[in-house]
Amino acid sequence: MNLNRRHFLKLLGTTTVTASIATTATTAATILASPKAFAQGISSNSSGPFSLPPLPYDYAALEPYIDADTMRFHHDRHHAAYVNNLNAAIGRHPQLVNQSAIALLKNLDSIPEDIRSIVQNNGGGHVNHSMFWEIMTPKGGGAPTGNIATAINENFGSFAVLKQQFNDAGLKRFGSGWAWLVLTKAGKLEVTSTANQDSPFMTGDFPILGNDLWEHAYYLKYQNLRGDYLNAWWNVINWAEVNKRLEKSLEMAIAS
Ligand code: MN3
């Protein structure tokens, strides 16, 4: 990866972040290296290296923007199914048992062909949703804070421009998928979109922030009005967690 210190300083428009990168490197390395640590160790109904992380708040905590029934089905059924399917696939190839879900996604070409698409879909689903719960919070929303605020202004001009690009990407995604704010291999923040459960990690980008565009994420409350859901979602963004992910993305870029 051709990132260097100058890229980061340009990205952030500041030198203040570089000190904290070093101090949190160990924590991030631990989180990213171990599937159990990444998933925070709650048990699910399947056995295997991966487990369903707990929701960090009540099902109803994100109302009125996301309703409790949607959160319950989304976390307890949909995410759980991705975890169970991923564990079943890895169970057929035990040599993969110590790899993190992110590592699996980054090296799909090396995954045995008989489980490759299962890992792509369900490993992607597990990693995407593990991020999704964490970057939302009942006390969220408002303007970005910290280094992500600086980076957004440097890369997009303003938060309003980012939101518009992001929501446009979400509206244009036909069918199921995700809208993303990623740190690219070139060290820039960009808005992207993927189909199905494809993860930005598959192409070497780091997902800083992502919104679930599957109908299971919004249909009970918003029906066909995906645009209303996209607009409302910004009210629950956990900017503190997004800042942690920005730091992690920079650490991984430095390490690779
Ligand atoms: Mn989903």
Side-chain angles (χ1 to χ4, degrees), residues 23-234:
T23 57
T24 55
T26 306
T27 307
T30 305
I31 289 168
L32 293 165
S34 159
K36 282 192 171 159
F38 184 78
Q40 299 187 347
I42 196 174
S43 63
S44 66
N45 290 328
S46 73
S47 60
F50 300 101
S51 53
L52 181 66
L55 261 192
Y57 33 74
D58 294 339
Y59 297 117
L62 303 183
E63 290 190 352
Y65 306 109
I66 303 179
D67 60 285
D69 280 345
T70 294
M71 291 299 291
R72 183 179 294 107
F73 283 112
H74 199 173
H75 177 270
D76 294 4
R77 308 266 180 95
H78 290 275
H79 189 172
Y82 299 129
V83 171
N84 293 341
N85 293 338
L86 180 61
N87 278 332
I90 298 303
R92 286 151 60 181
H93 294 277
Q95 77 275 16
L96 299 173
V97 79
N98 288 321
Q99 290 205 36
S100 72
I102 291 172
L104 294 170
L105 294 171
K106 283 183 159 184
N107 299 289
L108 274 180
D109 288 349
S110 68
I111 304 296
E113 198 174 352
D114 64 310
I115 64 165
R116 193 176 300 149
S117 67
I118 301 173
V119 170
Q120 177 176 342
N121 292 330
N122 294 279
H126 178 42
V127 169
N128 294 343
H129 288 84
S130 296
M131 170 214 70
F132 190 58
W133 316 129
E134 295 289 337
I135 60 161
M136 300 191 292
T137 174
K139 292 173 183 164
T145 56
N147 287 320
I148 191 66
T150 307
I152 287 168
N153 288 335
E154 290 281 321
N155 285 261
F156 296 93
S158 72
F159 177 45
V161 172
L162 164 66
K163 273 208 298 197
Q164 184 175 358
Q165 282 189 24
F166 190 99
N167 289 357
D168 283 351
L171 277 174
K172 285 175 184 161
R173 167 57 54 192
F174 186 77
S176 298
W178 289 75
W180 301 103
L181 175 67
V182 301
L183 182 73
T184 69
K185 286 178 282 191
K188 279 181 62 73
L189 287 184
E190 284 183 3
V191 168
T192 65
S193 169
T194 57
N196 304 315
Q197 293 296 349
D198 285 358
S199 161
F201 285 118
M202 287 165 47
T203 49
D205 294 336
F206 190 107
I208 306 288
L209 172 73
N211 196 358
D212 190 335
L213 308 173
W214 287 55
E215 287 185 343
H216 68 226
Y218 64 86
Y219 206 86
L220 291 180
K221 180 176 176 65
Y222 295 94
Q223 290 82 49
N224 59 317
L225 303 178
R226 185 189 282 185
D228 288 358
Y229 161 70
L230 284 163
N231 281 322
W233 179 72
W234 295 100

Side-chain angles (χ1 to χ4, degrees), residues 2-21:
N2 63 355
L3 283 168
N4 60 34
R5 181 182 170 87
R6 194 178 305 160
H7 278 110
F8 301 136
L9 301 187
K10 186 161 187 286
L11 172 73
L12 296 165
T14 173
T15 58
T16 54
V17 71
T18 49
S20 61
I21 287 174

